[in-house]
Each structure stands twice: as structure tokens, then as C-alpha cells.
Amino acid sequence: MTALSERPAPITARQRADLTIALTAWAVPLLLTTAVAPATSRPAQLALMLAGALTVTLMLRREDRTVRGQTLAATLCACSVEALAVPVLHLWTFWRDAWPLWLPFHHAQLYLTTVVIARSLPGVLRHPVLTPCAVLWCGAATVWRVLGGERGDLISVFGLAALLSLRRHPVLGPRLPTIVVVCGLTDAAGVAAGTWTYQPHDITGLLTLGNPPAAIAGGFCITYYASLLLAPRLLNTWQRLGGGPPVRKPAA
């Protein structure tokens, strides 16, 4: 843990380059989520998908096989959540009920951005104040939305519980402030543009849901935690197919 009086070590040239690419790549999900509403034609969707694919490819070329495996796992987990939440649980809908072609690359970009920022600024993000502030901000937003929001936001209570339970996780803990900012702002941009809309209630009609949920970062944390557990299995499967040495512990 970084002491309050301890100055973060200066970032290296490689970290600076990775950080620049990651922050630039963050603009792509923001562009996708805000531009898709008026761009529903197939050529426009294909162009957006190509932009996401090129960005993900550029970022993955700078990563080792562990991060590549994590990214694949995070993308699979996130897309599985989308496939369950939209047609089955009816938690949110896409604009005109059209599934974006760029969605898998969108999730890969978000995960890679959180990884690179946390890795490039470890001294800053491990500051003992940042993670509690991120959790408190999400907690205050959740309480306000539950008690005073127009629609209520009971589902965000579960997202807040996920943040609290994972705040000391050795991998996700240092990334938590980045996840709150990157994923939270991107999700809010998609809602503001009308790219997706959260429904007032879950499928049972019992749990209310904000638009966007106050603790959306907690949902991303659960997804990323699941991806960390899945990544070693994917890498070991790749190894059995002749792709490299085995991984015997969860990827960090």
C-alpha cells in the first residue's frame, strides 16, 4: 500500500505509451455508444465494428498472453451477461432493439483500458484514499437513487455489495477506481445517447432499476472477477492445442 507521504514513482516511457494508447482507445467506446443511435445502417455498424477491432488489435499486440487471455475471457463473460440480461431478464434494451455489431470489441476495449491505466499508474491508484472514495461515491449514489430517485434502484444494492466484497482483491482492488470512472462514464454516455436504456424493473417486477444504475461499476467488477477465473482455463486449453506453456494459477 502506498503511504500518504510517499510519492509515486515516475512512469516509464513504455507505460506512458501504453497509457496514451489506452486513453485514446477509451474514446472509441465513447464514440460507439454515442454515435450508434443515428447510425443503424449496416455499413455504419460495420464501420464502427472495424474501428473497435482495429483498436483492440493494436492494444493486444502490446500485451502478453496472460492479458490476452484475460481480455478474451472478459469479452466472453460480458457478452454472456448481455445475452442473458437483454432477451431473458429484460434489464435493458438497445436502440430499436438492434444488437450492435461492435459490442464484443466494446467490452474488450473497456477491459483493456482499465488494465493499462491501473498498470501504468500503480503508485497513484494504490493510494489508500482512492478506492474508499470510489466505493463511497457509488454507495452515496446508490442510497440516493434507492431513496430519492424517480424509479428507485434496488438492483444497484447488489452492485455496491460487489464493490465492497472485491475492494481488497489483489487484482481488481487496485483497478477499482479506474473501473468506476471508465465503465461508469461509458455506460452513462450510452444511456444519454439512447444507445441502450435500462428498464424500470427486472423481469419479476420486484426490483427497480435506475437508468443508468448507480453502481454499474459493481456489475463490471463481477464480470471481470469471473473473467479472471476463466482466463487460466482458456490459456490452458490453448496450450493443449499447441499454443504455449500452461497456466497453473489465476492470471494476475
Side-chain angles (χ1 to χ4, degrees):
M1 186 70 72
T2 304
L4 287 172
S5 60
E6 195 175 318
R7 306 184 80 179
I11 64 175
T12 65
R14 173 60 184 258
Q15 288 175 322
R16 189 177 297 108
D18 287 346
L19 188 59
T20 300
I21 293 174
L23 291 176
T24 303
W26 184 22
V28 176
L30 287 174
L31 174 65
L32 296 179
T33 55
T34 55
V36 69
T40 55
S41 66
R42 184 157 295 274
Q45 287 283 320
L46 290 174
L48 294 171
M49 182 181 68
L50 179 60
L54 290 175
T55 305
V56 170
T57 300
L58 176 61
M59 297 179 76
L60 287 178
R61 288 187 63 184
R62 302 177 65 86
E63 302 295 340
D64 60 23
R65 65 190 295 269
T66 298
V67 175
R68 292 174 182 175
Q70 290 178 356
T71 303
L72 175 60
T75 303
L76 291 174
C77 290
C79 289
S80 297
V81 170
E82 299 270 10
L84 176 66
V86 175
V88 179
L89 301 179
H90 306 293
L91 296 182
W92 62 85
T93 57
F94 292 108
W95 192 68
R96 293 187 177 178
D97 294 324
W99 282 74
L101 298 177
W102 44 262
L103 196 60
F105 302 105
H106 167 84
H107 284 300
Q109 287 168 319
L110 286 181
Y111 181 77
L112 282 167
T113 300
T114 61
V115 169
V116 172
I117 293 176
R119 185 181 63 211
S120 300
L121 301 173
V124 175
L125 295 178
R126 289 182 182 273
H127 195 286
V129 170
L130 281 185
T131 296
C133 283
V135 174
L136 285 174
W137 185 87
C138 290
T142 299
V143 171
W144 180 81
R145 294 286 289 276
V146 169
L147 299 180
E150 293 182 5
R151 348 191 313 168
D153 198 2
L154 289 177
I155 284 183
S156 282
V157 174
F158 297 100
L160 180 60
L163 290 180
L164 290 171
S165 62
L166 294 172
R167 72 189 189 282
R168 296 188 183 279
H169 188 274
V171 177
L172 293 178
R175 298 180 190 172
L176 197 147
T178 305
I179 293 173
V180 169
V181 173
V182 171
C183 298
L185 289 181
T186 302
D187 193 67
V191 170
T195 306
W196 50 73
T197 302
Y198 290 89
Q199 301 306 295
H201 295 83
D202 70 335
I203 192 172
T204 68
L206 300 176
L207 295 178
T208 54
L209 186 61
N211 184 43
I216 188 64
F220 276 97
C221 281
I222 294 173
T223 302
Y224 293 166
Y225 177 70
S227 70
L228 291 176
L229 300 178
L230 177 62
R233 298 180 182 275
L234 293 177
L235 291 172
N236 284 333
T237 299
W238 175 250
Q239 185 273 334
R240 286 195 295 270
L241 296 175
V247 175
R248 303 188 181 281
K249 59 181 181 179

